[in-house]
Amino acid sequence: PYLELHINRKEIARYGLSIKAVQSVIEVAIGGMPLTVTVEGRERYPVRIRYPRELRGSLEDLEKILIPTPTGQQIPLGELAKIEFIRQAQVIKSEDTFLVGYVVFDMKKGFAEVDVVEEAGAYLQQKIDSGEFQLPPGVSYSFAGSYENQVRSEKKLAVVLPLALFFIFLIIYFQFRSPVVTLLIFSGVFVAWSGGFLMLWLYGQDWFFNFSLFGVNFRELFQMRQYNLSVAVWVGFLALFGIATDDGVLISTYIGQSLKKNTPRTKDEVREAILEAGKRRVRPALMTTATTLLALLPVLTSTGRGSDILVPMAIPSFGGMAVAMITVFVVPVLYSLYEEMRLPRGEASNG
């Protein structure tokens, strides 16, 4: 609370007092007036004078403070001013030399921070344009909060994600020295991408994994709920891109070695060679995917400090790798189509 003193001008005029005279007594008795500064070596201490605390500790004590008049009378302050405690702003804040006030609001469950701020800004702007809401001269508003970190991170990710995909493409190209084969393997990234979004959608569905085993509900075990596209989710996608091409590289490497060893001349020979290579690499590819999925299970079920970041990161990686297992079929099929198109027309027709 604030202590306010409202000086009664009519009363002080009766005693021949001025506003300055009354305020000087109030300043010295209650607020304190600096008299001098003591010097102790390199230290400086201000010396102030005012009434002791027992004479100014309550409203009753303040009302008993005596104000001297020109005639020599001592008039209690309570007869010359109204003293009261009132509630006001707890603190006066300013930014860029302007007074500022904060209106705090939060988002509802299922809404992203950035979307909420953008919708609130659009709503206010609509009211201003329609004339329902008018800003006084010199008054402005802006949004601030944790959503700003999200906006800054999204701007960085808009550069980092394309760069990561580009470098993954270059690494695969340097290995196989063929743009077509690189694109065939790179198709696993897009398959994994779809799997990550599919898993995010399934996490938000109430029926998904909604069963109990040994008294444990699996939706609660895996903390399944709706997750928005936060920075943690995009980092999970970034990690997914690096491992999504593992199966494609594993199968394509063996297929390329097999085709160099026994050059096929017909479509049947191409399909037979690729089928044989695919059979030999299905098990290693499944083991690679299985170890990744098993390693993510403890993260998906983690609780406590840090789990709010780790779980959203693991969801797209888990879903992407689960769906990316179909690359053991997609890559050989696309590779077979590419090799068949490279065959001379006569030999291809004979096949």
Side-chain angles (χ1 to χ4, degrees), residues 18-46:
S18 64
I19 293 289
K20 182 178 180 181
V22 177
Q23 289 180 339
S24 297
V25 176
I26 293 174
E27 179 185 4
V28 175
I30 303 175
M33 175 181 289
L35 295 180
T36 184
V37 177
T38 63
V39 180
E40 300 180 12
R42 296 181 59 85
E43 300 177 358
R44 305 290 189 272
Y45 298 99

Side-chain angles (χ1 to χ4, degrees), residues 133-281:
F133 175 50
Q134 295 182 353
L135 286 176
V139 176
S140 62
Y141 68 89
S142 62
F143 293 92
S146 59
Y147 93 99
E148 293 177 301
N149 298 329
Q150 177 80 9
V151 173
R152 287 192 294 266
S153 301
E154 287 182 353
K155 290 181 179 179
K156 293 180 181 179
L157 288 172
V159 178
V160 172
L161 285 176
L163 280 178
L165 293 173
F166 176 71
F167 284 123
I168 292 172
F169 185 89
L170 281 183
I171 292 173
I172 298 174
Y173 174 77
F174 290 149
Q175 172 64 28
F176 293 93
R177 301 292 180 176
S178 172
V180 178
V181 176
T182 303
L183 286 174
L184 297 180
I185 300 172
F186 203 72
S187 64
V189 172
F190 301 106
V191 174
W193 184 299
S194 62
F197 280 105
L198 178 62
M199 184 59 68
L200 285 172
W201 177 78
L202 290 175
Y203 257 63
Q205 305 303 310
D206 294 334
W207 53 266
F208 183 66
F209 262 60
N210 193 5
F211 63 90
S212 299
L213 185 64
F214 302 113
V216 178
N217 185 273
F218 272 63
R219 284 193 65 84
E220 296 179 0
L221 176 64
F222 288 95
Q223 305 175 61
M224 292 186 179
R225 57 180 177 83
Q226 185 174 357
Y227 288 91
N228 298 307
L229 290 177
S230 61
V231 176
V233 171
W234 284 116
V235 172
F237 274 107
L238 190 61
L240 172 63
F241 297 155
I243 58 178
T245 56
D246 289 351
D247 293 344
V249 171
L250 186 64
I251 295 176
S252 298
T253 302
Y254 192 80
I255 290 177
Q257 295 173 352
S258 299
L259 294 179
K260 286 182 180 180
K261 186 176 181 180
N262 299 312
T263 304
R265 299 185 179 276
T266 64
K267 288 184 178 180
D268 291 338
E269 292 180 0
V270 170
R271 294 175 182 177
E272 183 179 354
I274 290 181
L275 182 61
E276 180 65 23
K279 288 180 179 180
R280 289 180 175 271
R281 284 297 176 262

